[in-house]
């Protein structure tokens, strides 16, 4: 019987995820960091399989460098969902420094590699959590329909990095207490759970990214000293008069440019006065439109979902229940126009 190491199975699953993203040609350009992240996880899984499944010991010099590339790329991927310039100020050195450090340690102090990797994974997990500390509104480059899912994916990605660090710690303890008897299992199998989680979160977050905006619609944002009510009134006029909420690729960044108000000012105003995040606020306009369609037309629930600006059924059903406390089908039965 042919022996297929578990890392190869994980690599195949991740490769399928990569193909799923590549099939959407329109979003490929904007999702390059996520595509690179999944591809890197595929490469690492294959190398793990060769190293621990087929005993190719020479690959032990490559694995630490590949592993050091994962956390920076995770952070860069989620930073791509943020349009604000300050999110990228230190992005270049944050991505390049870890593999360089790991390469130096391979020649100078190989005994410090495990500690360095653990510190690296935990440090970037903390950076991820800080990046999303303000909630889904922090991801102003994500569609409102997918911002909540992308934010959850960010939290899971941070957990996955910590999980990988914990497996590295177990490897160190195994060497200390059992002379490395369980290294093959820990590195070759258990550590793959972290890679698989990272790949899955990359897929979820990548799907939340909006399509590239036409240049004609990309207006420069201008500063304003308007009070919260003025900001919300301006946003409401855009949503009501221009029906901007029907744009499935609407993001906080685009809404800010159209309104001529900084994104942080919009999210702050809605948080303080409406007591909700911007995604929920926009989705309430979409749910109102969906209710109108369900009440006045004979179209399906799916048609109402798509025509009101939603892209995923799970998000539509969740938001519909949040706003109305009912499922779309039940609401239609109770409110159908006679």
């Amino acid at each position: 019987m042919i022996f297929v190491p578990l890392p190869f199975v994980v690599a195949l699953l991740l490769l399928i995820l990569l193909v799923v993203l590549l099939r959407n040609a329109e979003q490929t350009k904007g999702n390059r960091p996520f595509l690179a992240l999944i591809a890197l996880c595929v490469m690492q899984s294959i190398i793990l399989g060769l190293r621990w499944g087929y005993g190719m010991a020479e690959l032990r010099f490559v694995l630490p460098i590949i592993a050091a590339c994962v956390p920076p790329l995770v952070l860069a991927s989620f930073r791509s969902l943020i349009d604000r310039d300050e999110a990228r100020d230190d992005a270049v050195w944050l991505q390049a420094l870890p593999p360089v450090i790991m390469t130096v340690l391979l020649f100078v102090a190989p005994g410090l590699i495990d500690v360095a990797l653990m510190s690296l994974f935990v440090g970037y997990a903390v950076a991820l959590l800080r990046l999303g500390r303000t909630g889904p509104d922090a991801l102003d480059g994500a569609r409102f329909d997918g911002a909540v899912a992308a934010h959850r994916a960010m939290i899971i990605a941070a957990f996955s990095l910590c999980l990988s660090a914990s497996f590295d710690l177990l490897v160190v303890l195994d060497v200390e207490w059992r002379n490395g008897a369980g290294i093959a299992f820990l590195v070759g199998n258990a550590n793959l759970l972290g890679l698989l989680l990272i790949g899955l979160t990359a897929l979820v977050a990548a799907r939340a990214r909006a399509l590239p905006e036409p240049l004609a619609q990309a207006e420069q944002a201008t500063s304003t000293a308007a009070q919260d009510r003025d900001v919300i009134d301006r946003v409401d006029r855009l949503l009501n008069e221009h029906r901007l909420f029907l744009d499935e690729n609407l993001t906080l960044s685009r809404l800010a440019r159209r309104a001529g108000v900084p994104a942080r000012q919009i999210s702050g105003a809605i948080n303080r006065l409406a007591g909700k995040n911007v995604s929920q606020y926009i989705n309430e306009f979409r749910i109102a439109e969906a209710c109108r369609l369900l009440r006045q037309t004979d179209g399906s629930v799916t048609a109402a979902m798509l025509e009101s600006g939603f892209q995923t059924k799970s998000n539509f059903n969740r938001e519909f229940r949040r706003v109305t406390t009912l499922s779309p089908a039940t609401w239609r039965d109770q409110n159908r126009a006679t």
Side-chain angles (χ1 to χ4, degrees), residues 76-90:
S77 297
F78 283 97
R79 279 175 179 265
S80 72
L81 295 179
I82 299 178
D83 282 346
R84 297 188 294 275
D85 291 337
E86 57 266 28
R88 299 182 177 86
D89 289 343
D90 54 0

Side-chain angles (χ1 to χ4, degrees), residues 63-69 71 98 102 105 112-123 161 164-165 168:
L63 280 172
I65 299 175
I66 297 295
C69 294
M102 206 56 55
L105 288 178
L112 296 178
I113 288 178
D114 289 326
V115 174
L117 280 176
M118 286 186 284
S119 302
L120 181 67
F121 276 72
V122 173
L161 292 178
S164 295
D168 287 335

